[in-house]
Amino acid sequence: MRPCISLIVPVYKAEKYLPQCIQSVREQTFPGWECILVDDGSPDACPKLCDEAAQRDARFRVIHQPNGGVSAARNAGLSAAQGEYILFCDGDDVIAPAAMELALAAQKEHPKDLICWTLCRKMELLPRESIRPECKLFSARQAGLYHTTIPGHSNCNKLFSKALLEKNALRYDPALARAEDYEFGGRYLDAFFAENPNGCIRQLELPLYFWRVTEGSATNAKEKPPRKKQPVQYDPKDYPQYARHMLAEYSAARQAVDGWAFLSKEELLPQLRTYLRRFAFAVWTAQKLGEALPPNFLSGPEVTEMLDLLKQNQAYSVYYLPFRLKSRWLLGRLYESDETGARGLYRLCYTIGYYILLLRTKKRWQQP
């Protein structure tokens, strides 16, 4: 009998947490699933744990392959999946018992919507019972902004359509060393709204996925390895007048969510930090390409609004003071230090900037 859901779990160096992940799958209140454990050449006890899970429950299937990275592992799972819907879970994470049940119920009630849910960093926040959650809706116009939120760029909190994936030949790009979720998710959103122009992203306001921060996990790279200095990777022909592009994108994004009022504080602050960093990148590219920045780029309403909102919420960014100082030179050098791994200047600016704000405001600012 064909399963309704195929859950794909890439497995690599996760022996400490994999049993907990597998147990959370077994505890699903919806029974019609298959779980594809993709052993990505893990050198520890994970291959044995995967085989034992399959021996104990026929709904588990195991793929053993040489190490190729998380994208290759997920692609192998996608090729083997038989379900109508696809879920992803990392081998050191946990899903709530009612995750599949609630996602499918929402999908049945809203067949033209993309169903997703929130994540949490504390396992005790996972609901143990089926609770009808509140929902937040993102239209096609708001999809780009949603994609840059933490729930938005995760692939482990969405009910993917297998038919849509196959129709558009969507697979992960194994050549990407990072941001594979973001790139794959963006292509899926494009395909989804092309197929369902009047649909929306329906986010269940309930944490159904526990995202564990681990040391040394190569599967999901939640903790970055030590960075080595390398040049900023960019193609100059892709970024002429990038500062003007950022001004337009920022304005469109804030309009799409009613001047940021649509977003909660938890959703807004990462957005502001991300945009501030991208504005710094715009300064850097202008320097590299010998371009003049748009008039008042460093002091216009876009940057001023971001800085004021960060100050209002006492939310720290390493780029906060350089933008307040309107220092193009410092912003360019700081971005390069941040991006290339030559972190001396970044660490210095981060520490000095934080304590200057602490002394001036007499308040601790929330760090990223």
Side-chain angles (χ1 to χ4, degrees), residues 82-330:
Q82 299 175 358
E84 181 181 358
Y85 298 103
I86 302 292
L87 288 179
F88 293 104
C89 180
D90 288 336
D92 50 3
D93 292 343
V94 169
I95 57 176
M100 294 184 188
E101 176 189 344
L102 291 172
L104 284 172
Q107 189 71 80
K108 183 177 180 180
E109 187 174 352
H110 306 281
K112 297 298 184 180
D113 292 351
L114 171 59
I115 306 302
C116 58
W117 45 94
T118 61
L119 311 95
C120 61
R121 296 288 185 90
K122 296 181 179 180
M123 198 180 307
E124 57 268 26
L125 296 179
L126 291 175
R128 301 300 301 177
E129 301 175 353
S130 298
I131 305 170
R132 185 176 178 86
E134 298 293 326
C135 296
K136 176 172 282 189
L137 307 183
F138 296 83
S139 66
R141 180 167 166 258
Q142 298 167 332
L145 183 64
Y146 165 78
H147 187 44
T148 62
T149 66
I150 291 176
H153 70 242
S154 174
N155 286 177
C156 293
N157 67 330
K158 294 175 179 62
L159 196 62
F160 292 95
S161 163
K162 177 70 182 300
L164 190 61
L165 290 168
E166 297 305 314
K167 178 180 178 180
N168 293 274
L170 292 176
R171 291 294 187 270
Y172 288 87
D173 183 355
L176 292 178
R178 57 181 177 176
E180 67 284 341
D181 275 24
Y182 186 83
E183 193 272 342
F184 177 85
R187 287 188 285 124
Y188 186 85
L189 286 178
D190 289 342
F192 172 80
F193 281 110
E195 185 97 354
N196 305 284
N198 296 319
C200 70
I201 300 166
R202 183 172 295 270
Q203 180 171 285
L204 310 183
E205 294 295 281
L206 196 63
L208 300 178
Y209 188 91
F210 166 60
W211 178 28
R212 190 191 306 273
V213 179
T214 62
E215 295 183 5
S217 171
T219 300
N220 48 44
K222 294 187 183 75
E223 182 164 302
K224 296 180 180 179
R227 300 181 67 179
K228 296 181 180 180
K229 185 176 179 180
Q230 56 186 355
V232 176
Q233 298 179 359
Y234 90 115
D235 190 336
K237 71 176 185 298
D238 293 335
Y239 295 99
Q241 298 299 320
Y242 188 67
R244 295 186 184 278
H245 166 79
M246 284 308 307
L247 290 173
E249 180 184 322
Y250 179 87
S251 296
R254 72 182 304 279
Q255 289 174 14
V257 288
D258 302 322
W260 302 123
F262 183 75
L263 299 182
S264 68
K265 178 180 177 180
E266 290 72 22
E267 293 168 328
L268 173 61
L269 297 182
Q271 288 288 333
L272 297 174
R273 291 183 175 116
T274 297
Y275 268 115
L276 209 58
R277 187 177 190 272
R278 293 179 66 194
F279 270 61
F281 174 62
V283 173
W284 183 87
T285 56
Q287 293 172 351
K288 289 296 180 181
L289 297 176
E291 297 175 345
L293 290 171
N296 299 319
F297 180 78
L298 300 180
S299 58
E302 297 83 4
V303 168
T304 299
E305 179 182 61
M306 285 188 278
L307 297 178
D308 288 348
L309 285 170
L310 288 173
K311 181 179 180 181
Q312 177 183 327
N313 290 282
Q314 302 290 297
Y316 183 62
S317 164
V318 69
Y319 294 100
Y320 180 88
L321 278 181
F323 269 107
R324 284 292 193 201
L325 295 171
K326 303 178 180 59
S327 174
R328 302 184 187 188
W329 177 86
L330 181 56

